[in-house]
Amino acid sequence: MCILIICEKPSVAKKIANALGKPKKKTIYNVPYYELERNGKKIIVASAVGHLFTLVEKNNTKFGHYPVFDVKWEPASAEKGKKYVDNYIKALKKLSKEADEIYIATDWDIEGELIGYHALKYCCSKTKAKRMRFSSLTKNEIIKAFENPDEIDYGLVDAGESRHIIDWYYGINLSRALMNAIKAVNRWKTMSVGRVQGPALAFLTERELEIKKFVPKPYWVIEALLKDNLKAIHEKEKFWDEKEAKNVYEKVKNEKFGKVVEIKRTVRKIKPLPPFDLGTLQREAYNYFKFSPKETQEIAQSLYEKGLCLHPDTLILLPDGVKKIKDLDDEGNILCLNKDLKLTKSKYKLLKRTVKEKLIKITLNDGTELIATKEHPILVYRDKLIFVPSGELKENEQVVTLNYGEVYIQKIKKIEEIDYEGEVYDLTVEKYHNFIANGVVVHNCSYPRTSSQKLPKDKNYLENILNTLKNHPIYGKWVKEILTKGDLKPVEGKKEDPAHPAIHVVDIPKDEELSEKEKKIYDLIARRTLSAFWDNAEREYLNIKININGEIFKLSGSRTLKEGWHEIYYFPKFDECELPKLNKGDLIPIQKITITKKETQPPKRYTVASIIKELEKRKLGTKATRAEIVEKLIKRGYVIDDGSLKVTDLGISVVETLKKFCPEIIDEKMTRDLEEKLEKIQFRKIKKDEVLDEAEQKLRKILEEFKKKEKDVGMFLIKKLDSNNSSNTEKNKNESKKVVGKCPMCGGDLILKKGRYGEFYGCSNYPKCKYTESINKEVIKKCPKCGGELIIREGKYGKFLGCSNYPKCKYTEKLNKKVDKT
């Protein structure tokens, strides 16, 4: 009997092999794989390298032809730089021939399901296999997943294939359509546009055009500089009428004192900020650390995978039976305990990671075993039900277990540490945040890709987290006080996610395990989590009105009375402007009064942080893909990130063209509707073929209309691009014209110019007027040729003497030549 296990990547194959036995590493076609024996069976553990197959056009039509909808899956080696994929495909084909059974052990998500299914179908020529599902790469999780395999989730496969196919439909067809339009007017330019990127680029362009068209409006501000460097502003703040502003200024400019006529003091309580959803975490990480949204998401995922984990062979109770956690699908349904200790169904997501550490092996009186990392909480009874980390359990501890659907209490017979290197698994659970592992009730992990701002309602769960953190060298002092209060009611936000709670801290990772960036994100999450349990901050705001010769000026100040939650989550800065003690009727010395002309400013561009919020608000993309959307827009040259997102002329031209000739492509509603249908495929609420057919028909209709206007589209797009390039050239040209004065010969502008011998000042009316003047006008002597002045110039070979009447007189001398200055 031979079993072939197909993993997602080589590093995972190694961990799974080590978890299942004592493997021998072998190679075939320069691809590593592992062989071992387990329970008399030969096991081969091999891997893919991510997606082994990619979509290509089925019938290779002439270059640039569209519309095309006939696609097929081909080896990913067809893509540039992926030739190495062929060897992995050949290896799996060869190894599968000696296998009696095939297990898929790829990641537990849509892409993982698709990678595994494609390897099975196109490398092994099969469509059925056992599925190892695991959320962490612990040994127990892997073994449990191997011994309790599930089946392939074809809902996930269909959802993954549909998304890839529809994105291909839109990307290839629209890009070809744009390039053909340009070709129709005898020009050529590589163009691309995507299904979600189009609408995203459209609203960025709206903002960019708003900024370009913005006409600043002048206004005047009158300020009084008071004693102690305090600034008071006229109550009108902005004067739109210059005459009115100057009249007020003339009235107050010579005043030496102002009289306090009103003092308003307000004390406000400021609630803690709600726990993090992914979008808010991405924005905060950008604001405080300048981490891109994509980078923050990857770091949060990495921290998440370092969290609570179980051995891969852990058996998980599902609505339709029991499976090893390593064999679970990436997503699905699971059984957990509700608040009445009754079994209830909930959605879950699978996690996994690789560890090399000591795990805790717990053996109960009836022989039940559970192997977990030290941090993983187990439900026990200590006068009340409470989750306790495995590493803190003791022998004879009363553990909550299930047997035939009934809840029982069992004592721990033995606790031991075991050395382990390999994959460990965990689950995130939508409801009640627990699940049944080897008959024992355990807690789930905290998931980073969430839109929730609410922590779990389970008080025992929250107590368990806090008990884990109370020995932390930094956070411990706050945790102990939170626990002392006893009333665990954290602040929460409005946003909810039916699948996941807010991002929150769950344990204390070893410091050496984290990179510097991971430490920053962990600290941000930990402080935000703990501050949600803390007191309100209190701030005092003073608003004082000062009469200066009948004109009212406002003086504002603020200070913190009580730090509250801000002591823990100190990242947002409070303005501290403490005013001296003032009473109504006091006279305040005035040092000077100023009037300043200002202009209104255009709306701000989005940043890589604020655009995530906007995409979320408009329901474009998913919480997992929004960061990638921004990255693609930058990569394609449509947007530049220079601290804010500036749409390039290319980006503007593309959007204006699409808006004029096929506005459906950048229509947000169409994109949102399609996104909802793709999600329904996953849960079998709609058929894959229905969604693909509908997407094809809609796109076909759009492209047919586009083709009729192809030449018009091309002319419009090229005209836009040329116009923008021309205006930019003129703009750059004008910006280089530094006016330094008037030409003494014709009255034109004297501007900075660059000539053969360096920079000089010349008349803007050249060649009509040929007046020039040196920048360094150090007169050495008279020019022997024309009587003009010899001055120091600088050319490509260094400094020299040249006539000030250049280019009319081109006399020069070496600078080191002995000269008579008299």
Side-chain angles (χ1 to χ4, degrees), residues 437-456:
N438 283 6
V440 177
V441 183
V442 301
H443 203 278
N444 75 302
C445 197
S446 167
Y447 191 66
R449 290 200 291 272
T450 176
S451 54
S452 175
Q453 294 177 315
K454 300 177 189 292
L455 292 176

Side-chain angles (χ1 to χ4, degrees), residues 539-707:
R539 300 264 293 155
E540 178 189 67
Y541 300 90
L542 278 176
N543 289 293
I544 298 170
K545 289 186 178 180
I546 300 168
N547 187 319
I548 303 176
N549 196 21
E551 297 293 333
I552 301 299
F553 284 69
K554 298 186 299 182
L555 178 63
S556 300
S558 60
R559 64 181 180 133
T560 301
L561 300 177
K562 181 182 175 184
E563 197 76 9
W565 60 267
H566 195 250
E567 177 188 348
I568 304 174
Y569 192 74
Y570 57 78
F571 295 97
K573 300 302 178 189
F574 287 163
D575 289 331
E576 300 291 339
C577 179
E578 194 165 349
L579 300 178
K581 189 175 180 182
L582 294 170
N583 298 306
K584 191 175 179 179
D586 285 352
L587 293 178
I588 303 178
I590 299 171
Q591 293 181 0
K592 67 176 178 179
I593 293 180
T594 61
I595 182 169
T596 308
K597 182 182 179 181
K598 296 186 178 183
E599 290 183 337
T600 53
Q601 297 299 306
K604 289 183 178 180
R605 291 186 176 94
Y606 293 98
T607 64
V608 291
S610 64
I611 193 179
I612 297 293
K613 187 174 184 179
E614 190 66 22
L615 287 167
E616 182 184 320
K617 179 182 169 184
R618 294 171 184 253
K619 296 182 180 177
L620 292 174
T622 66
K623 50 185 173 281
T625 62
R626 287 175 188 127
E628 190 179 346
I629 290 167
V630 180
E631 295 276 332
K632 283 184 178 178
L633 290 175
I634 294 169
K635 191 176 179 180
R636 287 173 176 172
Y638 295 148
V639 173
I640 295 170
D641 178 16
D642 56 1
S644 62
L645 296 175
K646 182 180 179 182
V647 184
T648 62
D649 292 331
L650 175 61
I652 292 171
S653 300
V654 168
V655 168
E656 288 184 333
T657 303
L658 293 174
K659 192 173 183 180
K660 181 175 175 66
F661 293 99
C662 49
E664 302 95 333
I665 299 305
I666 53 175
D667 179 23
E668 292 182 19
K669 185 177 182 304
M670 187 177 80
T671 303
R672 276 194 296 269
D673 290 346
L674 192 51
E675 201 68 51
E676 287 172 8
K677 288 184 174 71
L678 287 169
E679 194 172 315
K680 286 179 180 177
I681 293 173
Q682 180 180 338
F683 299 105
R684 308 288 182 90
K685 293 179 181 178
I686 191 170
K687 290 182 179 178
K688 168 187 169 183
D689 290 342
E690 288 179 31
V691 177
L692 291 177
D693 287 345
E694 184 183 341
E696 179 181 337
Q697 294 312 313
K698 280 186 178 178
L699 193 52
R700 199 178 280 278
K701 187 177 178 183
I702 291 167
L703 293 168
E704 282 172 4
E705 289 300 312
F706 189 97
K707 202 175 266 274

Side-chain angles (χ1 to χ4, degrees), residues 2-5 7 10 13-14 17 23-36 42-47 87-88 91-92 94-96 98:
C2 178
I3 296 172
L4 171 64
I5 300 175
C7 309
K14 181 181 179 181
K24 290 181 181 178
K25 184 179 179 181
K26 297 188 174 185
T27 58
I28 181 171
Y29 306 118
N30 291 320
V31 170
Y33 71 97
Y34 302 86
E35 279 189 8
L36 59 108
K42 179 181 177 182
I43 297 175
I44 298 171
V45 186
S47 81
N87 285 347
Y88 282 86
L92 288 176
K94 179 86 172 173
L95 294 171
S96 68
E98 60 177 294

Side-chain angles (χ1 to χ4, degrees), residues 338-553:
N338 65 16
K339 292 176 182 177
D340 297 323
L341 299 183
K342 299 294 183 185
L343 283 174
T344 185
K345 190 165 74 171
S346 181
K347 290 179 183 176
Y348 73 85
K349 286 184 183 289
L350 183 66
L351 306 172
K352 67 178 176 181
R353 67 181 171 107
T354 303
V355 299
K356 185 180 181 181
E357 60 183 76
K358 290 187 182 295
L359 301 183
I360 302 296
K361 182 179 179 181
I362 303 158
T363 305
L364 305 183
N365 280 341
D366 69 350
T368 297
E369 292 180 351
L370 181 71
I371 301 176
T373 52
K374 293 179 180 180
E375 300 85 7
H376 209 303
I378 311 296
L379 187 61
V380 300
Y381 181 74
R382 291 179 177 176
D383 297 327
K384 60 179 179 178
L385 292 175
I386 182 173
F387 281 103
V388 176
S390 298
E392 296 178 18
L393 293 172
K394 298 174 183 177
E395 289 183 1
N396 292 318
E397 188 93 63
Q398 298 183 92
V399 176
V400 179
T401 64
L402 271 93
N403 193 3
Y404 298 104
E406 296 296 324
V407 176
Y408 291 88
I409 298 291
Q410 278 206 63
K411 286 188 177 180
I412 296 175
K413 183 179 181 180
K414 188 178 180 181
I415 296 175
E416 54 190 312
E417 285 189 345
I418 59 172
D419 290 318
Y420 177 74
E421 181 178 1
E423 292 182 332
V424 288
Y425 298 82
D426 209 340
L427 304 179
T428 59
V429 184
E430 176 182 331
K431 296 177 183 175
Y432 306 111
H433 313 294
N434 67 74
F435 57 99
I436 319 303
N438 283 6
V440 177
V441 183
V442 301
H443 203 278
N444 75 302
C445 197
S446 167
Y447 191 66
R449 290 200 291 272
T450 176
S451 54
S452 175
Q453 294 177 315
K454 300 177 189 292
L455 292 176
K457 303 291 185 188
D458 189 332
K459 187 178 177 182
N460 289 339
Y461 170 71
L462 298 176
E463 281 182 349
N464 176 69
I465 290 174
L466 294 170
N467 279 316
T468 301
L469 292 173
K470 69 182 178 185
N471 295 319
H472 192 281
I474 297 172
Y475 315 134
K477 59 182 178 181
W478 298 308
V479 173
K480 288 170 186 173
E481 195 168 334
I482 292 167
L483 286 168
T484 302
K485 293 177 183 177
D487 186 20
L488 299 180
K489 288 185 179 177
V491 164
E492 57 182 33
K494 293 179 180 178
K495 291 196 284 185
E496 283 191 84
D497 186 328
H500 310 291
I503 299 170
H504 57 283
V505 65
V506 293
D507 63 357
I508 306 171
K510 296 180 182 70
D511 206 45
E512 63 271 16
E513 289 181 350
L514 305 183
S515 68
E516 288 305 310
K517 288 185 176 181
E518 285 175 335
K519 287 176 185 176
K520 287 183 177 181
I521 296 296
Y522 176 81
D523 185 55
L524 197 69
I525 294 169
R527 288 176 177 275
R528 184 82 165 217
T529 303
L530 296 178
S531 68
F533 293 92
W534 209 247
D535 301 330
N536 294 338
E538 286 187 14
R539 300 264 293 155
E540 178 189 67
Y541 300 90
L542 278 176
N543 289 293
I544 298 170
K545 289 186 178 180
I546 300 168
N547 187 319
I548 303 176
N549 196 21
E551 297 293 333
I552 301 299
F553 284 69

Side-chain angles (χ1 to χ4, degrees), residues 181-195:
I182 293 174
K183 190 179 176 183
V185 289
N186 299 315
R187 294 279 287 272
W188 177 251
K189 186 171 181 64
T190 303
M191 304 290 291
S192 65
V193 66
R195 180 177 65 88

